[in-house]
Amino acid sequence: MAGVYVVVEHDQGQLAPSAGEALTAARRLSDHLNEPVIAVVIGEATTEFVSLCEEHGIPKAVSVLDPQIVDYGPELWGQAMAELFSLTEARVVMATGTDRGNEILAQASARAQIPFVANCINAEFSGAWELTRMQWGGSLLEDVTLDTSSLFISYAHHSVEAEPLAAASATQIESIEMNLDPVLCRSLVQDRVTLSEGTTLSTAAVVVSGGRGVGSAEGFASLEALAGLLSGKVGCSRAVTNNGWRSHADQVGQTGTRIAPDIYIACGISGAIQHWVGAMASKNILAINTDPEANMVTKAGYAVIADLHEVVPAIIAEIERRRGNSTST
Amino acid sequence: MRILVCVKRVPAPGSRINVTPDSLNVDTNHLGFTTSPHEECAVEEAAQIVEQHGGGVTVLTVGPSEAEEQLRYAASVGATAFVLVSNDTGIDWDPQQTADAIIESIAELEADQGQFDLILFGNESADSGGHQVGIRVAVALGRPAVNGIKGIEVGVQGVTARREVDGGYEVYSLEIPAVLGVKEGINLPRYPTMKGRLASKKAEISARETQVAPGAQQRRRLHQPEETVIETEILGTSSDAAPKIVDLLEELGVL
Ligand SMILES: Cc1cc2nc3c(=O)[nH]c(=O)nc-3n(C[C@H](O)[C@H](O)[C@H](O)COP(=O)(O)OP(=O)(O)OC[C@H]3O[C@@H](n4cnc5c(N)ncnc54)[C@H](O)[C@@H]3O)c2cc1C
């Protein structure tokens, strides 16, 4: 049993933003275990994939080939990783804990009958595995141990920063042809639909969010206006989606979207832990709340303790006043 | 359509999740409990499908005997049969053990009443979030499984399922029987009606005992992530704060 095999996620050849993260985490684990790291691509090794491996100094990569792999499919990809695991006698199979990363590892580990520990932030082995993983979307950590030698591990998305090496080195690509069970093609992606081009809630530089304090669906008009002036997106809390005031697509939090804007303006949101984990990656937070003790206020860098129905229109008026001044001068 | 929905009872913490003195569990002394949100939506989705296409919704939970509360809640929002697989050890089983308990129950339920067309799980449980129980069950049953589902349409041959990705969705079309991991947002769960509350009182819960093999994954400790304590700068206590706020926005370069 040897080798840290890391799944490099891609969609129809296009590398996932998390790909560099996965390789960085794999290099660290490989150093710790003193075993080689092998990058894995399901499908053809694109030039983009090869250069990423080279930037990370990965000596060897594997391209898993089967003419049936025409697109993503959880079962087909899972089976491919399970077969690769037994073929290579891998010690560790890992990925970044994205939706797909966790899905592939769950499928693969179930097929290989090996434990899988999801969303780890640390993994060590000294006679037994000692891992720290996220619970509650990261609001709580859990230390677990496993007495096994081989393990499937995902690293929590964004828990490792991608660190390419200063100097790239060549990666040798080995192709492995497989003959996967055709039945598994039943869960391949059939079609794709794009709903919004460009920035989304998760990539917006400014997010203006409202909570129960907004009071109604109509109450969001001023938040919409402010977000518009700042070229941002509107978000909300689960209290708001539960009331049917906004669509769930706008929900920030553990069971909604995780955001990382330059500034998060949280209006009438108490800052429950499940909301906070979705917002905590924001670079700056401005809380507008009538309650100075609200969790959102005490955790924010900036706060205004007042009624959002007065403050938000006043911000809009001030921005418009300054813009009016600058165009007239 | 015969649908099985597997749900988990979880605590509903507020601004902080406290742990017990032995560090092995969430301190639930002052907390209420709820159905893990993704699964609450899975129950709603199953109820809607059955309203449209006929059939029944069985809800199964693995947990302490108190999880009866979540099964009764499911009864109040449209589910028709209830199974509690009890784990009274005081600590969650690991993902493989949980999957094993569910696989065993499904085998018995299906031998008794016929195959489930659809088995729905939450994408991941709100608390432990192992991201694998539903998939382990599907693999053991040899059925197709897709996670991250935010839309299900029942057709003649099978189901079309939409999976959320940033900026859009992927479409899967699966023959039944199939297993799906559902995410919150697929629907807006209904509130119980008067009639629902009555159904909830009358619901018959079938309790199951099971022996699971020792788990590979042992919990050692729950603890808080490191927190950076921040000094909050109060910009004002009325709309007079607006100029200071706009100064800040200019400073951050977002205006
Ligand atoms: C498993 C689980 C998962 C969850 N996932 C999520 C999630 O993904 N996202 C999420 O948001 N929540 C989530 N929740 C729910 C979460 O626990 C809270 O219930 C929710 O975030 C509260 O929303 P809120 O802050 O809008 O409402 P409240 O907690 O009611 O807070 C309203 C706030 O508005 C302030 N306010 C009222 N009026 C005004 C006014 N006129 N001007 C200014 N301030 C005012 C109040 O002081 C208060 O702070 C989850 C819960 C559970 C159990």
Side-chain angles (χ1 to χ4, degrees):
Chain A
M1 294 278 176
V4 174
Y5 285 73
V6 54
V7 184
V8 177
E9 203 184 313
H10 69 90
D11 188 47
Q12 297 181 307
Q14 172 134 29
L15 292 183
S18 62
E21 227 177 291
L23 292 183
T24 307
R27 276 163 40 207
R28 286 193 196 148
L29 188 56
S30 121
D31 286 347
H32 167 71
L33 296 171
N34 200 16
E35 295 197 20
V37 47
I38 299 100
V40 182
V41 60
I42 311 252
E44 300 286 346
T46 58
T47 47
E48 204 194 352
F49 168 77
V50 177
S51 21
L52 185 76
C53 291
E54 292 183 340
E55 282 163 24
H56 282 264
I58 311 283
K60 193 179 148 190
V62 166
S63 151
V64 177
L65 299 173
D66 182 318
Q68 299 179 101
I69 307 175
V70 292
D71 203 333
Y72 176 68
E75 292 183 282
L76 206 58
W77 286 41
Q79 181 65 26
M81 287 311 298
E83 289 187 19
L84 186 70
F85 169 79
S86 38
L87 200 72
T88 58
E89 302 193 326
R91 172 76 182 282
V92 175
V93 176
M94 54 171 286
T96 302
T98 58
D99 277 355
R100 268 196 193 177
N102 280 330
E103 181 172 53
I104 297 162
L105 293 193
Q107 278 282 350
S109 65
R111 289 165 192 279
Q113 300 190 315
I114 295 288
F116 162 43
V117 185
N119 295 335
C120 295
I121 58 168
N122 193 44
E124 284 171 32
F125 186 87
S126 49
W129 282 100
E130 295 175 11
L131 308 129
T132 300
R133 61 179 300 272
M134 285 185 178
Q135 284 204 355
W136 291 95
S139 305
L140 193 66
L141 300 178
E142 178 187 26
D143 294 344
V144 299
T145 56
L146 292 98
D147 255 337
T148 50
S149 169
S150 293
L151 194 60
F152 285 48
I153 305 172
S154 73
Y155 275 76
H157 194 13
H158 300 309
S159 65
V160 177
E161 205 156 329
E163 276 174 17
L165 298 182
S169 62
T171 302
Q172 180 209 335
I173 311 286
E174 180 192 349
S175 294
I176 297 185
E177 309 269 350
M178 287 192 182
N179 203 349
L180 299 166
D181 182 354
V183 161
L184 302 179
C185 295
R186 63 192 174 183
S187 50
L188 282 171
V189 174
Q190 296 294 311
D191 198 5
R192 285 177 172 72
V193 176
T194 305
L195 292 178
S196 59
E197 302 272 3
T199 38
T200 57
L201 192 56
S202 62
T203 57
V206 177
V207 175
V208 181
S209 247
R212 199 192 304 277
V214 175
S216 65
E218 297 73 42
F220 274 85
S222 61
L223 276 69
E224 290 272 6
L226 179 57
L229 287 171
L230 300 171
S231 309
K233 293 273 172 192
V234 171
C236 69
S237 72
R238 185 159 176 255
V240 168
T241 39
N242 274 352
N243 278 317
W245 299 344
R246 308 268 321 167
S247 129
H248 184 273
D250 294 345
Q251 182 177 314
V252 171
Q254 184 184 337
T255 51
T257 302
R258 285 160 182 264
I259 58 170
D262 292 336
I263 183 160
Y264 183 49
I265 306 180
C267 311
I269 296 178
S270 63
I273 191 92
Q274 304 90 354
H275 184 83
W276 176 252
V277 286
M280 66 187 182
S282 306
K283 289 180 197 75
N284 295 279
I285 296 178
L286 167 63
I288 303 174
N289 201 306
T290 43
D291 176 8
E293 305 295 326
N295 200 43
M296 201 70 219
V297 170
T298 56
K299 283 185 169 172
Y302 305 94
V304 176
I305 309 304
D307 187 338
L308 72 96
H309 297 107
E310 287 165 19
V311 179
V312 175
I315 305 172
I316 294 170
E318 177 67 13
I319 293 172
E320 282 171 345
R321 190 185 65 77
R322 293 193 194 182
R323 285 195 179 163
N325 280 351
S326 62
T327 45
S328 59
T329 50
Chain B
M1 275 270 170
R2 276 176 44 73
I3 307 180
L4 176 71
V5 188
C6 298
V7 308
K8 187 172 184 189
R9 168 185 168 90
V10 298
S15 57
R16 188 185 154 86
I17 304 174
N18 293 313
V19 298
T20 51
D22 66 4
S23 298
L24 288 177
N25 273 306
V26 171
D27 181 355
T28 55
N29 257 330
H30 303 287
L31 297 182
F33 287 82
T34 182
T35 305
S36 181
H38 296 317
E39 289 110 87
E40 193 183 340
C41 292
V43 172
E44 173 65 32
E45 194 65 17
Q48 288 184 16
I49 293 173
V50 162
E51 278 159 11
Q52 234 191 325
H53 301 271
V57 180
T58 301
V59 178
L60 178 153
T61 189
V62 176
S65 37
E66 291 84 3
E68 179 181 335
E69 182 191 345
Q70 279 60 50
L71 293 179
R72 292 207 179 273
Y73 186 82
S76 74
V77 290
T80 47
F82 313 91
V83 183
L84 199 161
V85 183
S86 54
N87 168 7
D88 280 311
T89 60
I91 192 160
D92 282 353
W93 283 327
D94 86 357
Q96 183 64 60
Q97 293 175 298
T98 308
D100 286 344
I102 295 174
I103 293 161
E104 188 187 301
S105 298
I106 291 176
E108 286 188 17
L109 289 169
E110 292 195 334
D112 264 9
Q113 305 150 21
Q115 197 169 56
F116 291 108
D117 299 308
L118 270 183
I119 303 178
L120 304 183
F121 285 86
N123 192 71
E124 85 280 352
S125 62
D127 53 354
S128 47
H131 286 265
Q132 57 189 292
V133 169
I135 292 171
R136 286 190 184 273
V137 170
V139 169
L141 297 174
R143 298 181 197 177
V146 184
N147 258 2
I149 297 304
K150 280 218 172 169
I152 301 174
E153 258 168 64
V154 176
V156 196
Q157 289 289 325
V159 294
T160 306
R162 288 204 307 260
R163 174 189 179 119
E164 180 190 42
V165 295
D166 203 23
Y169 56 87
E170 295 165 349
V171 181
Y172 295 83
S173 78
L174 303 172
E175 283 181 14
I176 48 180
V179 177
L180 298 172
V182 164
K183 274 197 177 179
E184 182 181 80
I186 186 172
N187 54 41
L188 188 56
R190 71 193 68 180
Y191 288 103
T193 57
M194 250 341 238
K195 194 168 148 242
R197 289 211 178 85
L198 227 65
S200 146
K201 287 211 181 81
K202 288 201 196 130
E204 270 183 42
I205 292 173
S206 119
R208 289 184 42 88
E209 302 286 329
T210 183
Q211 295 285 318
V212 294
Q217 181 180 319
Q218 302 280 330
R219 179 180 298 169
R220 295 299 173 196
R221 185 170 75 107
L222 294 176
H223 53 105
Q224 310 287 337
E226 253 175 62
E227 228 185 310
T228 38
V229 183
I230 199 159
E231 195 69 43
T232 308
E233 186 181 337
I234 306 290
L235 299 179
T237 54
S238 73
S239 53
D240 295 347
K244 272 197 184 169
I245 298 170
V246 179
D247 287 347
L248 173 70
L249 297 173
E250 281 180 345
E251 224 173 276
L252 295 175
V254 295
L255 250 187

